Amino acid sequence: MNITRSTIAKSAFGIVASGALIFSLAACSMNSDSTAGSGSSSSASSEPSAAATPLASLPDLSKGVDTQVAVDASFVDALTTLGLTPGVVGNATFANGTFSFPITGGNVDYYDPSGSVRPYVQGDIKHDNSGLSLTAGDTKVELTNFDIDPGASKLYGDVIVNGQTAASHAYLFNLWGGSLKPLQMEGDNAVLEGTTVHISSDAAGLLNQTFKTDAVKAEMLVGVAKITVATK
């Protein structure tokens, strides 16, 4: 990204600028300096000290808007090979090859990258009451209530198999920001596009066990994410 730290720091003033700042750096922290799956430390593993003050903060993300994932052709081919039919759960939508999951809440704080707080982007982005499903024969798996941890570059969610909860807040996908495009503003919305979404080893194992296969591979590319956040 063509954004220097000094430029970012200066943009910390104002509500819209703060929102743009946080989500720009959240995406940059999504493994932009590593390969998919290597991930940074979890947000829970490094709490800021009482004296630490974020440069910018968005305490309430309930204003929306959504996280979209444009499905990659390789993922569609994999689903076809496995005989899996994708679908949507709750408030999610699927149109023109793109899943959309409404943002329902969460918060994000951004700390000085040159300071001691790690990860320097902390918080979560919640997508309650929506998700995607995979169906084969009489078996249906629902992945719902997505929760993005920008500091850890991970997406968590609940797993329901044939109506029964199989796992809660499970590590489902990892996020890689190496292909991220520069931040864009669309009115009062901050838009980040280009982070790739990959199936985690945990999710791959669970799906293989459920559908009795070994064809779901860890780090399988799902698609490219576009996060649109209302800044006011």
Side-chain angles (χ1 to χ4, degrees):
M1 296 177 63
N2 297 320
I3 302 177
T4 66
R5 288 181 178 177
S6 61
T7 301
I8 291 171
K10 291 178 182 178
S11 67
F13 300 98
I15 296 176
V16 175
S18 294
L21 162 67
I22 288 174
F23 283 91
S24 177
L25 290 179
C28 286
S29 75
M30 290 177 179
N31 298 336
S32 59
D33 297 323
S34 61
T35 57
S38 60
S40 60
S41 300
S42 170
S43 294
S45 65
S46 178
E47 295 295 334
S49 67
T53 301
L55 293 183
S57 179
L58 283 177
D60 181 10
L61 301 184
S62 62
K63 300 170 186 176
V65 220
D66 60 21
T67 295
Q68 298 181 359
V69 178
V71 177
D72 189 80
S74 63
F75 184 66
V76 176
D77 291 343
L79 294 183
T80 301
T81 299
L82 292 169
L84 300 179
T85 301
V88 295
V89 177
N91 297 322
T93 60
F94 182 75
N96 300 319
T98 298
F99 285 101
S100 179
F101 310 103
I103 294 173
T104 58
N107 61 88
V108 178
D109 289 330
Y110 161 64
Y111 295 85
D112 186 350
S114 63
S116 60
V117 177
R118 290 295 182 272
Y120 59 82
V121 179
Q122 301 188 19
D124 63 352
I125 307 172
K126 296 181 180 295
H127 308 74
D128 294 337
N129 304 314
S130 67
L132 63 88
S133 64
L134 298 171
T135 303
D138 295 330
T139 302
K140 182 177 182 178
V141 174
E142 296 176 318
L143 309 176
T144 68
N145 299 323
F146 296 150
D147 187 356
I148 296 175
D149 181 340
S153 304
K154 294 180 178 181
L155 185 152
Y156 298 88
D158 299 333
V159 181
I160 299 173
V161 179
N162 292 337
Q164 301 296 316
T165 299
S168 297
H169 204 254
Y171 169 33
L172 300 178
F173 304 101
N174 65 64
L175 310 170
W176 185 67
S179 56
L180 182 72
K181 297 177 182 178
L183 179 97
Q184 300 293 322
M185 293 299 297
E186 296 181 355
D188 293 327
N189 296 335
V191 179
L192 286 166
E193 185 173 8
T195 297
T196 54
V197 181
H198 305 259
I199 293 179
S200 73
S201 58
D202 292 359
L206 188 150
L207 291 173
N208 281 329
Q209 180 180 11
T210 301
F211 291 112
K212 298 178 174 57
T213 182
D214 60 0
V216 182
K217 305 300 183 183
E219 307 307 334
M220 178 185 291
L221 175 63
V222 176
V224 179
K226 177 182 179 181
I227 301 176
T228 303
V229 177
T231 59
K232 66 178 181 179

